[in-house]
Amino acid sequence: MFRKILIANRGEIACRVARTAHALGYRTVAVFSDADRDALHVRAADEAVPIGGTTPAESYLAREAILAAARRSGADAVHPGYGFLSENADFAEACGEAGLVFIGPPPEAIRLMGNKGAAKRRMARAGVPCVPGYEGEAQDDATLWREAGRIGFPVMIKAAAGGGGRGMRLVETEAALADALASARSEAASAFGSDELILERAIARPRHIEIQIFADRNGNAIHLGERDCSLQRRHQKVIEEAPSPAVTPELRARMGAAAVAAAQAIGYVGAGTIEFLLAADNTFYFMEMNTRLQVEHPVTEFVTGQDLVAWQIDVAAGGRLPLTQEAVALDGHAIEARLYAEDPYQGFLPQSGRVALWEPPAGPGIRVDHGLRAGQEVTPFYDPMLAKVIAHGRTREEARRRLVRALDACVVAPLATNRAFLADCLRHPAFVAGEATTGFIPDHFPAAALHRPPPPREAAALAAALLCRAAAGSPPLLRDWRSNGPAGVPLLLASEDGRIPVEVAAEPGGCYRVALPHGDTCVVALLATEGDRVRYEADGVQAEARMLPDGGALYLQIGGFDARYVDLKLAPPEGADAGSDGRVTAALNGTVRAVFVQQGVRVRRGQRLLMLEAMKMEMEIAAPVAGCVARVAVSAGAQVGRRDLLVELEPDGAGAEGDAT
């Protein structure tokens, strides 16, 4: 038995574990890095212990610091959440040696299933269908090259020791194999401390189906149905649902039986997930096992009516599973969307900065798991997921509609997020029809065609009215503005998508007549403002928007759309494209991982200059123009901030391509 649980994690999962632990009567202890000193999960626990550092390696991956925090606080159990140390067998073992109950599976099970090669070999012996491939110990290029030829192209390369898409490469042809092996090895070694690889036959456009299993120490093991996690970007899950629209009761029974057999074959205890690829002909193949609670567990909780964290804690305390397999019933449908601090319309660049406004949606069938509060700083040191928005409905369509509405109503500003992108995915006819496979995003939202959705026409009109109202009586801003005059004043609104010329005229009754581009006109009345809420009327229709002045700009969330307008007096003049002057700056806060050029070298447009890493994502910075490197302002390992100078080029003539040396 235990009384006090240390939560060895951060953010939304730490808050979520604390919530259930408190409901069960346990006291909780949070740990926090220097970057998370004011984070919500620190306040959500009964006690909190600093573990120092800012990067994961210095804090949430520092085993000794976390064990010391448990000793200092008197905790007698540890819940690892997901990520970080949750699938670290050495940490689970160290907890046991320190007299702490590890709320998770036995270290032996974690160690076995943590290596994809060993896991596949064990699953094959247990009769679980596996993707044909190679998971042998020989790791030399010649062996991997030979095995890839035997498997046939396209082939998938995977890091044997990890997951989350890191160290994973899809290789379409033999000619691309050498580079893919080298880059996969490098990323695997960096991410997981092991460069061991496995090869698998690439299954064309499969569904990613995972089965939630649970086992106790008394030999009982069951499954709680499936989750469809097919909607992914770069092998990272984006939207998940339960049950899967592609899985029949008969198929669910077969996949569930295989998953339970997999768990029993390794003496598993606690919560786990068996991941399968489901082909178009309903053939399924074991892919891997996650020996922890999954990010997407709330959809299973919604459709089963169970609290999986409570199950974890009870099983760790020696209790039996509360249900038999026959008693598991699925009710309705649930869909989860992961809200990330990233800009989908700028290559999904991770974002960092202060969240001035945060208001999670609410309503029937809506749940939001998060670790955010207004005023909190989102740092570049950790995964950019901010929250999970989950909707439950009697039917899949009801759950889908509720989730779209919840995303439209979710307020997070001024940080750029994928909120609108998620809603667009949920609205797409292929998703509505339940036809999403792992190719959904590249098929329907290719990077080259991904453009920021334009806000409604009244957004620019409302922004102009708000800015003019704020500027009334301020000659430096609008010298010709007359708040009671009929004359229109030509203004220039600068937005993220360009410059919008408008003409604003004040009308009786406090209205503003705003002439928009292309001969359009919108009459806006500002009815009421309360804090960040503005009630307005546009062409006779009343609605509400959220607004936030943001460093000389105005942020609006209106009709489910985000819009940011530069303050009128700060609207930049028409000019050249960004970077055409040869100054290459950082688009976000991060760490310089590698520099590929030096002063005096000539580069072509598009040539890589350096590699930045932020929020677990690596991105190459390319030359915006051809020219000669005049200055390299950073070196590998340097921390840089948004807009910091990285490289300065002396551009060639407009449009020249230059020659790389």
Side-chain angles (χ1 to χ4, degrees):
M1 296 295 292
F2 47 85
R3 297 172 298 165
K4 186 186 289 188
I5 301 171
L6 182 140
I7 305 168
N9 217 295
R10 65 179 298 277
E12 66 89 11
I13 188 58
C15 294
R16 190 263 171 278
V17 171
R19 186 168 64 246
T20 287
H22 294 161
L24 294 175
Y26 294 96
R27 290 185 62 79
T28 57
V29 180
V31 292
F32 61 93
S33 68
D34 291 344
D36 279 342
R37 187 169 298 276
D38 296 321
L40 186 63
H41 79 271
V42 177
R43 305 180 182 190
D46 297 303
E47 303 168 25
V49 180
I51 50 177
T54 54
T55 67
E58 297 170 321
S59 53
Y60 301 104
L61 288 173
R63 290 181 298 177
E64 292 306 318
I66 290 174
L67 293 174
R71 288 192 297 270
R72 191 185 316 171
S73 63
D76 45 7
V78 173
H79 194 302
Y82 55 71
F84 294 128
L85 293 171
S86 63
E87 294 182 283
N88 187 300
D90 293 340
F91 177 66
E93 213 161 51
C95 286
E97 292 170 354
L100 300 167
V101 175
F102 180 75
I103 302 177
E108 300 78 17
I110 299 175
R111 191 168 282 118
L112 173 64
M113 303 310 281
N115 182 286
K116 287 185 173 67
K120 283 188 68 177
R121 292 191 291 270
R122 177 62 68 90
M123 292 300 99
R125 290 199 298 271
V128 179
C130 296
V131 179
Y134 172 75
E135 47 277 339
E137 295 181 2
Q139 291 287 303
D140 58 282
D141 278 357
T143 298
L144 295 177
W145 201 286
R146 183 178 63 253
E147 290 297 323
R150 178 185 62 81
I151 295 165
F153 292 90
V155 68
M156 186 70 78
I157 302 172
K158 293 183 178 180
R166 307 207 67 178
M168 186 180 294
R169 301 290 187 275
L170 175 63
V171 185
E172 299 281 359
T173 64
E174 184 177 3
L177 184 60
D179 287 346
L181 287 173
S183 63
R185 271 202 189 99
S186 174
E187 189 172 42
S190 174
F192 311 116
S194 168
D195 65 357
E196 182 182 348
L197 303 175
I198 68 169
L199 305 177
E200 289 181 348
R201 177 190 299 163
I203 309 298
R205 295 295 191 269
R207 290 196 186 244
H208 184 145
I209 306 294
E210 61 187 30
I211 304 290
Q212 175 70 60
I213 61 98
F214 243 100
D216 62 24
R217 301 183 189 281
N218 302 293
N220 303 306
I222 66 171
H223 72 86
L224 294 165
E226 82 282 356
R227 296 185 287 259
D228 194 320
C229 307
S230 300
L231 210 151
Q232 302 176 6
R233 187 185 66 80
R234 297 177 183 168
H235 308 294
Q236 294 276 2
K237 298 167 187 173
V238 175
I239 292 174
E240 306 98 348
E241 59 182 310
S244 168
V247 174
T248 63
E250 183 274 333
L251 180 57
R252 179 176 302 119
R254 288 196 292 122
M255 296 183 77
V260 170
Q264 292 175 324
I266 60 171
Y268 199 78
V269 175
T273 306
I274 307 296
E275 313 257 334
F276 292 107
L277 292 179
L278 179 65
D281 62 358
N282 280 349
T283 304
F284 60 90
Y285 303 97
F286 170 82
M287 186 169 54
E288 64 183 2
M289 182 178 190
N290 288 308
T291 54
R292 54 168 168 79
L293 193 69
Q294 288 279 68
V295 175
E296 57 272 18
H297 73 275
V299 295
T300 297
E301 293 185 322
F302 255 140
V303 298
T304 61
Q306 304 298 317
D307 184 330
L308 300 192
V309 174
W311 282 37
Q312 283 188 296
I313 294 172
D314 290 345
V315 164
R320 292 179 174 271
L321 296 182
L323 293 179
T324 63
Q325 189 65 68
E326 294 71 27
V328 175
L330 305 183
D331 176 28
H333 203 97
I335 311 176
E336 173 182 290
R338 301 189 186 191
L339 184 69
Y340 281 96
E342 63 183 13
D343 190 343
Y345 314 107
Q346 295 291 328
F348 289 91
L349 279 176
Q351 305 291 301
S352 57
R354 181 172 170 268
V355 177
L357 295 182
W358 165 243
E359 186 176 305
I366 298 299
R367 165 178 164 179
V368 181
D369 285 9
H370 69 91
L372 273 181
R373 59 178 181 79
Q376 183 173 326
E377 195 78 17
V378 175
T379 72
F381 303 112
Y382 312 114
D383 187 278
M385 191 176 77
L386 301 175
K388 303 178 310 198
V389 184
I390 313 105
H392 179 257
R394 294 165 298 175
T395 65
R396 183 176 186 270
E397 177 57 17
E398 183 175 78
R400 188 196 67 82
R401 288 196 309 266
R402 284 177 167 176
L403 185 52
V404 170
R405 178 175 172 80
L407 288 169
D408 283 348
C410 184
V411 178
V412 53
L415 210 60
T417 72
N418 65 337
R419 185 180 62 85
F421 173 74
L422 292 170
D424 284 346
C425 289
L426 292 165
R427 290 186 179 104
H428 193 279
F431 185 86
V432 175
E435 297 172 351
T437 69
T438 53
F440 176 87
I441 289 179
D443 285 348
H444 302 296
F445 295 90
L450 198 57
H451 303 294
R452 194 182 310 278
R457 56 186 288 277
E458 62 265 27
L462 177 60
L466 287 166
L467 290 167
C468 286
R469 184 181 68 173
S474 177
L477 178 59
L478 286 173
R479 286 185 294 272
D480 298 323
W481 175 253
R482 290 180 290 172
S483 61
N484 60 350
V489 177
L491 303 170
L492 191 65
L493 281 176
S495 77
E496 294 168 313
D497 297 313
R499 294 162 179 81
I500 306 169
V502 299
E503 188 172 284
V504 185
E507 294 197 338
C511 293
Y512 298 86
R513 179 176 295 275
V514 184
L516 300 167
H518 311 298
D520 193 9
T521 300
C522 185
V523 177
V524 177
L526 304 177
L527 304 178
T529 56
E530 182 179 351
D532 58 83
R533 298 175 184 270
V534 55
R535 188 77 183 170
Y536 67 94
E537 181 178 294
D539 291 340
V541 178
Q542 292 189 15
E544 185 176 271
R546 308 300 286 271
M547 64 175 180
L548 175 69
D550 177 31
L554 175 68
Y555 169 86
L556 288 178
Q557 186 169 314
I558 178 171
F561 292 86
D562 300 297
R564 184 175 285 102
Y565 299 97
V566 176
D567 190 311
L568 301 179
K569 66 180 179 180
L570 298 178
E574 299 290 341
D577 293 337
S580 61
D581 61 354
R583 289 177 55 83
V584 181
T585 59
L588 71 169
N589 302 337
T591 303
V592 178
R593 285 297 173 213
V595 178
F596 304 119
V597 296
Q598 58 187 7
Q599 185 176 345
V601 167
R602 291 180 54 75
V603 295
R604 63 182 180 275
R605 187 177 64 188
Q607 181 177 337
R608 66 177 187 170
L609 302 176
L610 49 83
M611 180 79 74
L612 275 185
E613 181 180 21
M615 294 182 172
K616 298 169 62 178
M617 177 180 172
E618 289 184 344
M619 61 211 76
E620 289 185 350
I621 307 301
V625 294
C628 183
V629 178
R631 178 187 174 200
V632 178
V634 294
S635 57
Q639 297 286 327
V640 296
R642 189 165 179 260
R643 298 192 180 95
D644 282 358
L645 178 66
L646 303 175
V647 175
E648 191 168 2
L649 306 173
E650 291 180 0
D652 293 338
E657 289 300 316
D659 296 316
T661 59

PDB file of all heavy atoms in Angstrom, residues 399-412:
ATOM      1  N   ALA A 399     -20.314  13.432 -31.910  1.00  0.00           N
ATOM      2  CA  ALA A 399     -19.019  13.712 -31.282  1.00  0.00           C
ATOM      3  C   ALA A 399     -18.179  14.623 -32.168  1.00  0.00           C
ATOM      4  O   ALA A 399     -17.526  15.554 -31.684  1.00  0.00           O
ATOM      5  CB  ALA A 399     -18.277  12.402 -31.008  1.00  0.00           C
ATOM      6  N   ARG A 400     -18.201  14.373 -33.463  1.00  0.00           N
ATOM      7  CA  ARG A 400     -17.427  15.201 -34.393  1.00  0.00           C
ATOM      8  C   ARG A 400     -17.916  16.647 -34.377  1.00  0.00           C
ATOM      9  O   ARG A 400     -17.117  17.589 -34.304  1.00  0.00           O
ATOM     10  CB  ARG A 400     -17.527  14.616 -35.807  1.00  0.00           C
ATOM     11  CG  ARG A 400     -16.603  15.292 -36.821  1.00  0.00           C
ATOM     12  CD  ARG A 400     -17.004  14.953 -38.254  1.00  0.00           C
ATOM     13  NE  ARG A 400     -18.307  15.530 -38.586  1.00  0.00           N
ATOM     14  CZ  ARG A 400     -18.499  16.792 -38.978  1.00  0.00           C
ATOM     15  NH1 ARG A 400     -17.470  17.616 -39.080  1.00  0.00           N
ATOM     16  NH2 ARG A 400     -19.704  17.242 -39.263  1.00  0.00           N
ATOM     17  N   ARG A 401     -19.238  16.849 -34.457  1.00  0.00           N
ATOM     18  CA  ARG A 401     -19.775  18.218 -34.441  1.00  0.00           C
ATOM     19  C   ARG A 401     -19.418  18.928 -33.145  1.00  0.00           C
ATOM     20  O   ARG A 401     -19.045  20.111 -33.144  1.00  0.00           O
ATOM     21  CB  ARG A 401     -21.299  18.185 -34.616  1.00  0.00           C
ATOM     22  CG  ARG A 401     -21.795  17.830 -35.991  1.00  0.00           C
ATOM     23  CD  ARG A 401     -23.275  18.211 -36.153  1.00  0.00           C
ATOM     24  NE  ARG A 401     -24.105  17.704 -35.071  1.00  0.00           N
ATOM     25  CZ  ARG A 401     -24.771  16.547 -35.105  1.00  0.00           C
ATOM     26  NH1 ARG A 401     -24.691  15.768 -36.176  1.00  0.00           N
ATOM     27  NH2 ARG A 401     -25.508  16.155 -34.076  1.00  0.00           N
ATOM     28  N   ARG A 402     -19.543  18.218 -32.035  1.00  0.00           N
ATOM     29  CA  ARG A 402     -19.225  18.833 -30.742  1.00  0.00           C
ATOM     30  C   ARG A 402     -17.756  19.237 -30.668  1.00  0.00           C
ATOM     31  O   ARG A 402     -17.416  20.296 -30.120  1.00  0.00           O
ATOM     32  CB  ARG A 402     -19.566  17.857 -29.611  1.00  0.00           C
ATOM     33  CG  ARG A 402     -21.050  17.745 -29.314  1.00  0.00           C
ATOM     34  CD  ARG A 402     -21.332  16.714 -28.228  1.00  0.00           C
ATOM     35  NE  ARG A 402     -22.706  16.837 -27.733  1.00  0.00           N
ATOM     36  CZ  ARG A 402     -23.258  16.023 -26.834  1.00  0.00           C
ATOM     37  NH1 ARG A 402     -22.545  15.010 -26.335  1.00  0.00           N
ATOM     38  NH2 ARG A 402     -24.495  16.207 -26.421  1.00  0.00           N
ATOM     39  N   LEU A 403     -16.880  18.399 -31.215  1.00  0.00           N
ATOM     40  CA  LEU A 403     -15.459  18.718 -31.149  1.00  0.00           C
ATOM     41  C   LEU A 403     -15.123  19.919 -32.031  1.00  0.00           C
ATOM     42  O   LEU A 403     -14.327  20.779 -31.647  1.00  0.00           O
ATOM     43  CB  LEU A 403     -14.631  17.493 -31.555  1.00  0.00           C
ATOM     44  CG  LEU A 403     -13.116  17.632 -31.429  1.00  0.00           C
ATOM     45  CD1 LEU A 403     -12.703  18.106 -30.037  1.00  0.00           C
ATOM     46  CD2 LEU A 403     -12.427  16.307 -31.761  1.00  0.00           C
ATOM     47  N   VAL A 404     -15.709  19.989 -33.218  1.00  0.00           N
ATOM     48  CA  VAL A 404     -15.484  21.156 -34.082  1.00  0.00           C
ATOM     49  C   VAL A 404     -15.923  22.430 -33.370  1.00  0.00           C
ATOM     50  O   VAL A 404     -15.202  23.440 -33.366  1.00  0.00           O
ATOM     51  CB  VAL A 404     -16.226  20.990 -35.423  1.00  0.00           C
ATOM     52  CG1 VAL A 404     -16.199  22.296 -36.208  1.00  0.00           C
ATOM     53  CG2 VAL A 404     -15.608  19.864 -36.251  1.00  0.00           C
ATOM     54  N   ARG A 405     -17.103  22.400 -32.780  1.00  0.00           N
ATOM     55  CA  ARG A 405     -17.600  23.582 -32.071  1.00  0.00           C
ATOM     56  C   ARG A 405     -16.692  23.936 -30.896  1.00  0.00           C
ATOM     57  O   ARG A 405     -16.416  25.118 -30.645  1.00  0.00           O
ATOM     58  CB  ARG A 405     -19.030  23.339 -31.591  1.00  0.00           C
ATOM     59  CG  ARG A 405     -19.615  24.503 -30.809  1.00  0.00           C
ATOM     60  CD  ARG A 405     -21.086  24.276 -30.437  1.00  0.00           C
ATOM     61  NE  ARG A 405     -21.567  25.302 -29.536  1.00  0.00           N
ATOM     62  CZ  ARG A 405     -21.947  26.513 -29.904  1.00  0.00           C
ATOM     63  NH1 ARG A 405     -21.899  26.846 -31.187  1.00  0.00           N
ATOM     64  NH2 ARG A 405     -22.366  27.403 -29.028  1.00  0.00           N
ATOM     65  N   ALA A 406     -16.221  22.913 -30.179  1.00  0.00           N
ATOM     66  CA  ALA A 406     -15.340  23.167 -29.036  1.00  0.00           C
ATOM     67  C   ALA A 406     -14.027  23.804 -29.488  1.00  0.00           C
ATOM     68  O   ALA A 406     -13.520  24.735 -28.842  1.00  0.00           O
ATOM     69  CB  ALA A 406     -15.063  21.859 -28.295  1.00  0.00           C
ATOM     70  N   LEU A 407     -13.465  23.338 -30.590  1.00  0.00           N
ATOM     71  CA  LEU A 407     -12.228  23.932 -31.096  1.00  0.00           C
ATOM     72  C   LEU A 407     -12.448  25.372 -31.534  1.00  0.00           C
ATOM     73  O   LEU A 407     -11.607  26.251 -31.297  1.00  0.00           O
ATOM     74  CB  LEU A 407     -11.680  23.099 -32.254  1.00  0.00           C
ATOM     75  CG  LEU A 407     -11.083  21.743 -31.869  1.00  0.00           C
ATOM     76  CD1 LEU A 407     -10.831  20.899 -33.107  1.00  0.00           C
ATOM     77  CD2 LEU A 407      -9.787  21.918 -31.081  1.00  0.00           C
ATOM     78  N   ASP A 408     -13.584  25.634 -32.181  1.00  0.00           N
ATOM     79  CA  ASP A 408     -13.894  27.009 -32.587  1.00  0.00           C
ATOM     80  C   ASP A 408     -13.992  27.936 -31.374  1.00  0.00           C
ATOM     81  O   ASP A 408     -13.662  29.122 -31.458  1.00  0.00           O
ATOM     82  CB  ASP A 408     -15.209  27.043 -33.364  1.00  0.00           C
ATOM     83  CG  ASP A 408     -15.064  26.547 -34.795  1.00  0.00           C
ATOM     84  OD1 ASP A 408     -13.915  26.398 -35.258  1.00  0.00           O
ATOM     85  OD2 ASP A 408     -16.096  26.310 -35.449  1.00  0.00           O
ATOM     86  N   ALA A 409     -14.461  27.381 -30.246  1.00  0.00           N
ATOM     87  CA  ALA A 409     -14.677  28.199 -29.048  1.00  0.00           C
ATOM     88  C   ALA A 409     -13.446  28.272 -28.148  1.00  0.00           C
ATOM     89  O   ALA A 409     -13.411  29.085 -27.219  1.00  0.00           O
ATOM     90  CB  ALA A 409     -15.857  27.647 -28.252  1.00  0.00           C
ATOM     91  N   CYS A 410     -12.457  27.440 -28.400  1.00  0.00           N
ATOM     92  CA  CYS A 410     -11.264  27.409 -27.550  1.00  0.00           C
ATOM     93  C   CYS A 410     -10.444  28.679 -27.771  1.00  0.00           C
ATOM     94  O   CYS A 410     -10.118  29.024 -28.908  1.00  0.00           O
ATOM     95  CB  CYS A 410     -10.435  26.173 -27.886  1.00  0.00           C
ATOM     96  SG  CYS A 410      -8.982  25.956 -26.837  1.00  0.00           S
ATOM     97  N   VAL A 411     -10.104  29.364 -26.695  1.00  0.00           N
ATOM     98  CA  VAL A 411      -9.373  30.633 -26.798  1.00  0.00           C
ATOM     99  C   VAL A 411      -7.964  30.444 -26.262  1.00  0.00           C
ATOM    100  O   VAL A 411      -7.771  30.114 -25.093  1.00  0.00           O
ATOM    101  CB  VAL A 411     -10.083  31.755 -26.012  1.00  0.00           C
ATOM    102  CG1 VAL A 411      -9.277  33.051 -26.097  1.00  0.00           C
ATOM    103  CG2 VAL A 411     -11.496  31.960 -26.532  1.00  0.00           C
ATOM    104  N   VAL A 412      -6.983  30.627 -27.138  1.00  0.00           N
ATOM    105  CA  VAL A 412      -5.579  30.636 -26.722  1.00  0.00           C
ATOM    106  C   VAL A 412      -4.883  31.697 -27.565  1.00  0.00           C
ATOM    107  O   VAL A 412      -4.879  31.627 -28.789  1.00  0.00           O
ATOM    108  CB  VAL A 412      -4.925  29.243 -26.872  1.00  0.00           C
ATOM    109  CG1 VAL A 412      -5.115  28.677 -28.259  1.00  0.00           C
ATOM    110  CG2 VAL A 412      -3.449  29.294 -26.503  1.00  0.00           C
TER     111      VAL A 412
END
